[in-house]
PDB file of all heavy atoms in Angstrom:
ATOM      1  N   VAL A 215     -21.990  35.867 -31.748  1.00 97.00           N
ATOM      2  CA  VAL A 215     -22.202  34.921 -32.847  1.00 97.00           C
ATOM      3  C   VAL A 215     -23.698  34.837 -33.121  1.00 97.00           C
ATOM      4  O   VAL A 215     -24.468  34.328 -32.306  1.00 97.00           O
ATOM      5  CB  VAL A 215     -21.645  33.526 -32.489  1.00 97.00           C
ATOM      6  CG1 VAL A 215     -21.924  32.534 -33.605  1.00 97.00           C
ATOM      7  CG2 VAL A 215     -20.145  33.609 -32.206  1.00 97.00           C
ATOM      8  N   ARG A 216     -24.097  35.378 -34.274  1.00 98.00           N
ATOM      9  CA  ARG A 216     -25.518  35.381 -34.640  1.00 98.00           C
ATOM     10  C   ARG A 216     -25.854  34.110 -35.416  1.00 98.00           C
ATOM     11  O   ARG A 216     -25.119  33.739 -36.338  1.00 98.00           O
ATOM     12  CB  ARG A 216     -25.811  36.600 -35.514  1.00 98.00           C
ATOM     13  CG  ARG A 216     -27.258  36.701 -35.917  1.00 98.00           C
ATOM     14  CD  ARG A 216     -27.537  37.853 -36.863  1.00 98.00           C
ATOM     15  NE  ARG A 216     -28.946  37.852 -37.215  1.00 98.00           N
ATOM     16  CZ  ARG A 216     -29.471  38.523 -38.227  1.00 98.00           C
ATOM     17  NH1 ARG A 216     -28.696  39.302 -38.982  1.00 98.00           N
ATOM     18  NH2 ARG A 216     -30.761  38.443 -38.491  1.00 98.00           N
ATOM     19  N   LEU A 217     -26.935  33.462 -35.061  1.00 98.00           N
ATOM     20  CA  LEU A 217     -27.404  32.286 -35.812  1.00 98.00           C
ATOM     21  C   LEU A 217     -28.933  32.283 -35.840  1.00 98.00           C
ATOM     22  O   LEU A 217     -29.556  32.636 -34.836  1.00 98.00           O
ATOM     23  CB  LEU A 217     -26.959  30.982 -35.137  1.00 98.00           C
ATOM     24  CG  LEU A 217     -25.511  30.514 -35.270  1.00 98.00           C
ATOM     25  CD1 LEU A 217     -25.351  29.156 -34.604  1.00 98.00           C
ATOM     26  CD2 LEU A 217     -25.096  30.419 -36.732  1.00 98.00           C
ATOM     27  N   PRO A 218     -29.518  31.851 -36.959  1.00 98.00           N
ATOM     28  CA  PRO A 218     -30.977  31.650 -36.937  1.00 98.00           C
ATOM     29  C   PRO A 218     -31.263  30.319 -36.248  1.00 98.00           C
ATOM     30  O   PRO A 218     -30.412  29.427 -36.270  1.00 98.00           O
ATOM     31  CB  PRO A 218     -31.324  31.555 -38.425  1.00 98.00           C
ATOM     32  CG  PRO A 218     -30.096  30.980 -39.056  1.00 98.00           C
ATOM     33  CD  PRO A 218     -28.923  31.472 -38.248  1.00 98.00           C
ATOM     34  N   ARG A 219     -32.418  30.176 -35.633  1.00 98.00           N
ATOM     35  CA  ARG A 219     -32.736  28.881 -35.007  1.00 98.00           C
ATOM     36  C   ARG A 219     -32.884  27.797 -36.084  1.00 98.00           C
ATOM     37  O   ARG A 219     -32.408  26.679 -35.944  1.00 98.00           O
ATOM     38  CB  ARG A 219     -34.014  29.025 -34.179  1.00 98.00           C
ATOM     39  CG  ARG A 219     -34.548  27.802 -33.493  1.00 98.00           C
ATOM     40  CD  ARG A 219     -33.727  27.350 -32.300  1.00 98.00           C
ATOM     41  NE  ARG A 219     -32.678  26.420 -32.588  1.00 98.00           N
ATOM     42  CZ  ARG A 219     -31.872  25.889 -31.671  1.00 98.00           C
ATOM     43  NH1 ARG A 219     -31.976  26.215 -30.400  1.00 98.00           N
ATOM     44  NH2 ARG A 219     -30.929  25.041 -32.012  1.00 98.00           N
ATOM     45  N   ALA A 220     -33.595  28.193 -37.165  1.00 97.00           N
ATOM     46  CA  ALA A 220     -33.797  27.209 -38.233  1.00 97.00           C
ATOM     47  C   ALA A 220     -33.279  27.778 -39.536  1.00 97.00           C
ATOM     48  O   ALA A 220     -33.345  28.995 -39.763  1.00 97.00           O
ATOM     49  CB  ALA A 220     -35.275  26.879 -38.353  1.00 97.00           C
ATOM     50  N   TYR A 221     -32.755  26.921 -40.381  1.00 97.00           N
ATOM     51  CA  TYR A 221     -32.277  27.350 -41.697  1.00 97.00           C
ATOM     52  C   TYR A 221     -32.742  26.326 -42.736  1.00 97.00           C
ATOM     53  O   TYR A 221     -32.564  25.116 -42.551  1.00 97.00           O
ATOM     54  CB  TYR A 221     -30.742  27.452 -41.702  1.00 97.00           C
ATOM     55  CG  TYR A 221     -30.215  27.924 -43.034  1.00 97.00           C
ATOM     56  CD1 TYR A 221     -30.593  29.162 -43.542  1.00 97.00           C
ATOM     57  CD2 TYR A 221     -29.382  27.115 -43.811  1.00 97.00           C
ATOM     58  CE1 TYR A 221     -30.156  29.589 -44.779  1.00 97.00           C
ATOM     59  CE2 TYR A 221     -28.930  27.544 -45.043  1.00 97.00           C
ATOM     60  CZ  TYR A 221     -29.323  28.784 -45.528  1.00 97.00           C
ATOM     61  OH  TYR A 221     -28.905  29.211 -46.754  1.00 97.00           O
ATOM     62  N   ARG A 222     -33.365  26.827 -43.759  1.00 96.00           N
ATOM     63  CA  ARG A 222     -33.885  25.976 -44.834  1.00 96.00           C
ATOM     64  C   ARG A 222     -34.717  24.813 -44.263  1.00 96.00           C
ATOM     65  O   ARG A 222     -34.605  23.670 -44.688  1.00 96.00           O
ATOM     66  CB  ARG A 222     -32.743  25.468 -45.724  1.00 96.00           C
ATOM     67  CG  ARG A 222     -31.966  26.614 -46.368  1.00 96.00           C
ATOM     68  CD  ARG A 222     -30.817  26.142 -47.240  1.00 96.00           C
ATOM     69  NE  ARG A 222     -31.269  25.391 -48.404  1.00 96.00           N
ATOM     70  CZ  ARG A 222     -30.444  24.878 -49.326  1.00 96.00           C
ATOM     71  NH1 ARG A 222     -29.140  25.057 -49.217  1.00 96.00           N
ATOM     72  NH2 ARG A 222     -30.925  24.207 -50.346  1.00 96.00           N
ATOM     73  N   GLY A 223     -35.496  25.160 -43.230  1.00 95.00           N
ATOM     74  CA  GLY A 223     -36.446  24.192 -42.667  1.00 95.00           C
ATOM     75  C   GLY A 223     -35.849  23.222 -41.661  1.00 95.00           C
ATOM     76  O   GLY A 223     -36.561  22.364 -41.141  1.00 95.00           O
ATOM     77  N   ARG A 224     -34.550  23.342 -41.384  1.00 96.00           N
ATOM     78  CA  ARG A 224     -33.916  22.435 -40.413  1.00 96.00           C
ATOM     79  C   ARG A 224     -33.295  23.246 -39.283  1.00 96.00           C
ATOM     80  O   ARG A 224     -32.875  24.387 -39.514  1.00 96.00           O
ATOM     81  CB  ARG A 224     -32.775  21.645 -41.075  1.00 96.00           C
ATOM     82  CG  ARG A 224     -33.211  20.776 -42.201  1.00 96.00           C
ATOM     83  CD  ARG A 224     -33.762  19.494 -41.646  1.00 96.00           C
ATOM     84  NE  ARG A 224     -33.906  18.542 -42.719  1.00 96.00           N
ATOM     85  CZ  ARG A 224     -34.034  17.245 -42.523  1.00 96.00           C
ATOM     86  NH1 ARG A 224     -34.036  16.746 -41.312  1.00 96.00           N
ATOM     87  NH2 ARG A 224     -34.186  16.428 -43.536  1.00 96.00           N
ATOM     88  N   ASP A 225     -33.184  22.621 -38.125  1.00 97.00           N
ATOM     89  CA  ASP A 225     -32.508  23.298 -37.021  1.00 97.00           C
ATOM     90  C   ASP A 225     -31.080  23.645 -37.465  1.00 97.00           C
ATOM     91  O   ASP A 225     -30.411  22.866 -38.139  1.00 97.00           O
ATOM     92  CB  ASP A 225     -32.456  22.361 -35.812  1.00 97.00           C
ATOM     93  CG  ASP A 225     -32.103  23.109 -34.543  1.00 97.00           C
ATOM     94  OD1 ASP A 225     -30.951  23.571 -34.396  1.00 97.00           O
ATOM     95  OD2 ASP A 225     -32.995  23.249 -33.687  1.00 97.00           O
ATOM     96  N   VAL A 226     -30.627  24.833 -37.085  1.00 98.00           N
ATOM     97  CA  VAL A 226     -29.296  25.251 -37.550  1.00 98.00           C
ATOM     98  C   VAL A 226     -28.213  24.286 -37.030  1.00 98.00           C
ATOM     99  O   VAL A 226     -27.174  24.103 -37.667  1.00 98.00           O
ATOM    100  CB  VAL A 226     -29.015  26.717 -37.140  1.00 98.00           C
ATOM    101  CG1 VAL A 226     -28.709  26.848 -35.649  1.00 98.00           C
ATOM    102  CG2 VAL A 226     -27.882  27.313 -37.967  1.00 98.00           C
TER     103      VAL A 226
END
Side-chain angles (χ1 to χ4, degrees):
V215 177
R216 181 184 179 195
L217 284 184
R219 178 72 270 182
Y221 181 60
R222 300 179 65 180
R224 299 278 193 162
D225 195 291
V226 74

